[in-house]
Every structure is written in structure tokens, then in C-alpha cells.
Amino acid sequence: MLQKGDKFKDIDGTVFEIFGTADDIYNYYFIANLKAKIIIKMLPENAKAFVKDMEKLN
């Protein structure tokens, strides 16, 4: 299960942070791309697949 505050690093070094999770008041995960300053809104199953192959930093 993804938790608020989890950080993941992609193969190219891009760091993503989970800052809103499905167990909050949201039905979506909100993932921030810290390099490009972009926010991505995903359904829980899509968010898990998105970070599946990334290195967890914390």
C-alpha cells in the first residue's frame, strides 16, 4: 500500500512523491514529479503500477 510521503526514484533519476492517498479523503492518489513540478492524479491500481519498478527512497 502506498503511503503519504513515500518517495520513489525512476531509472532516469526523477523523484516522485505521494502526497495524497486513497486512504485519505480522496479516491485517487496524487503523485508529484519533484523535478518537473507536475502533479499527477491516478486511480489506486494505476498508481501502484506506475511506481512498481521504481526504487523506493524512504
Side-chain angles (χ1 to χ4, degrees), residues 11-38:
I11 195 164
D12 67 354
T14 304
V15 176
F16 295 90
E17 181 176 352
I18 310 294
F19 72 92
T21 60
D23 53 314
D24 279 347
I25 59 172
Y26 308 110
N27 292 325
Y28 297 94
Y29 283 93
F30 292 91
I31 301 173
N33 176 330
L34 301 179
K35 192 174 186 179
K37 299 179 183 167
I38 296 172

